[in-house]
Amino acid sequence: MALAAILALGASAAAGAWMQSQLNRQPVLSPDQEHAIAEQVSRDSTYVRHNVNLLASKVGDLQAKLIAMDSLSKRVAEVAGVSYTDPEIHASLEEGSAPVMDYITAEEGAGWSAEGLGRQLDALTQQISEQKDWLAMLDLVLTKRVGVQAGLPTLMPVSYPFLSSSFGWRRNPVTGRHAMHEGLDFAAPKGTPIHASSGGVVTEARYVPGYGKMVEINHGNGLVTRYAHASSINVKQGDLIEKGQMIARVGSSGRSTGAHLHFEVRIAGHPLDPRLFLAQAGGNEQLIASAMQETDTAQTQVR
């Protein structure tokens, strides 16, 4: 019985060893099959390496374009003067953008791994987002600036740039007393068209004591222009006016000694010399020279 038990254990161990050897046997491949598998692995490796190199090259191209965009946006901001007038833009320019990789060729990209390229793409995504925000801010500032400049009264209200009276202290032709003249008087024939010096909304279009028939236009930001002593008015209160639109005709209504246009510019209710705005339009040398001569004459009379 002992011998039978020993034989049974031996048979069991032999059977287990045979089963284990069967499980661990590797399939036998022919030389042709092994060669085909090796060629497929080589092709897959070459394909992956080629795509990694191509992706690295495209990453380099994209980064080069980002560098060019960053340089262009800074030049545009400097030419527009944005960096000197808007603190938040100036701070953005001073900080500068994050450093980027140099241009990568396909050969140079051979050493890059998929993980490394993934990190570079993440960095590029962040830089593109920052560049987009910066350009949007620049566009907003420039748009706002263009809007403000477009609202300035820089257009001559009449085609006769000769002044019969300038801004400042003068002897009032009606009362004979020295008083502050709060605008410019343009000598022009009766019926001469009067044009809006800038676009805005008509807030007054009626007869006003002293001013006669007057049109007042609000240009926003507290800026107002007045056109007085008209013979007729072509607009009404509440009308939306475009720059250069005819709003009235020259006359001598109200307190006036002859046909002319009295033109005023006011900010927050305070009168400003209209020449500060009209001179910006260019081509008004005759107006400026005439105004300077008129001012000198008025100062002499005050003395």
Side-chain angles (χ1 to χ4, degrees):
M1 292 180 64
L3 180 61
I6 293 172
L7 291 175
L9 290 174
S12 176
W18 182 82
M19 290 295 295
Q20 184 68 28
S21 65
Q22 292 296 319
L23 292 175
N24 292 334
R25 284 183 66 182
Q26 298 294 332
V28 177
L29 300 177
S30 66
D32 291 339
Q33 291 176 325
E34 292 181 352
H35 181 70
I37 292 175
E39 287 185 345
Q40 182 63 42
V41 171
S42 178
R43 285 195 298 269
D44 291 345
S45 177
T46 302
Y47 177 77
V48 171
R49 185 167 55 254
H50 173 73
N51 281 283
V52 169
N53 294 343
L54 183 62
L55 183 59
S57 178
K58 291 185 178 296
V59 168
D61 289 337
L62 185 57
Q63 289 180 327
K65 291 178 181 179
L66 274 175
I67 293 174
M69 288 176 59
D70 182 67
S71 177
L72 176 62
S73 63
K74 287 182 179 180
R75 291 199 303 270
V76 171
E78 290 172 359
V79 171
V82 174
S83 59
Y84 300 101
T85 57
D86 298 274
E88 69 279 8
I89 300 293
H90 182 68
S92 178
L93 284 175
E94 290 297 327
E95 291 175 0
S97 58
V100 297
M101 294 164 46
D102 293 330
Y103 179 78
I104 302 176
T105 63
E107 292 76 12
E108 293 170 341
W112 284 92
S113 65
E115 181 182 357
L117 288 173
R119 289 196 297 267
Q120 289 299 324
L121 286 175
D122 290 341
L124 281 175
T125 301
Q126 182 179 358
Q127 292 177 28
I128 290 174
S129 177
E130 293 174 355
Q131 188 70 254
K132 180 180 178 182
D133 293 341
W134 152 246
L135 291 175
M137 185 182 297
L138 179 61
D139 178 66
L140 177 63
V141 172
L142 292 179
T143 300
K144 180 179 178 180
R145 177 167 300 174
V146 170
V148 171
Q149 292 177 346
L152 297 179
T154 57
L155 181 69
M156 287 288 294
V158 290
S159 57
Y160 291 82
F162 298 101
L163 294 176
S164 58
S165 185
S166 62
F167 180 89
W169 289 92
R170 66 163 189 176
R171 186 182 298 275
N172 190 295
V174 177
T175 64
R177 298 179 180 178
H178 285 93
M180 179 65 180
H181 187 237
E182 298 181 340
L184 299 178
D185 288 348
F186 295 92
K190 183 178 179 180
T192 299
I194 300 173
H195 302 277
S197 187
S198 184
V201 178
V202 176
T203 51
E204 295 286 352
R206 61 187 179 88
Y207 186 93
V208 178
Y211 285 95
K213 293 181 179 179
M214 183 195 75
V215 175
E216 180 181 270
I217 300 177
N218 190 322
H219 306 285
N221 299 313
L223 183 63
V224 171
T225 54
R226 290 178 178 176
Y227 312 79
H229 305 307
S231 60
S232 62
I233 296 176
N234 297 72
V235 295
K236 63 181 183 298
Q237 186 177 7
D239 284 352
L240 184 63
I241 303 300
E242 296 181 358
K243 190 171 188 175
Q245 180 177 337
M246 191 182 80
I247 57 175
R249 292 186 179 274
V250 172
S252 186
S253 58
R255 187 178 299 175
S256 172
T257 58
H260 72 284
L261 167 66
H262 175 77
F263 176 62
E264 290 185 8
V265 176
R266 291 176 175 267
I267 293 183
H270 300 284
L272 295 178
D273 191 342
R275 290 172 296 178
L276 298 172
F277 301 93
L278 296 178
Q280 297 181 21
N284 294 324
E285 293 83 359
Q286 188 175 13
L287 166 66
I288 299 172
S290 177
M292 293 177 63
Q293 182 179 2
E294 181 68 22
T295 301
D296 293 339
T297 303
Q299 291 177 347
T300 301
Q301 290 176 350
V302 171
R303 294 192 190 98

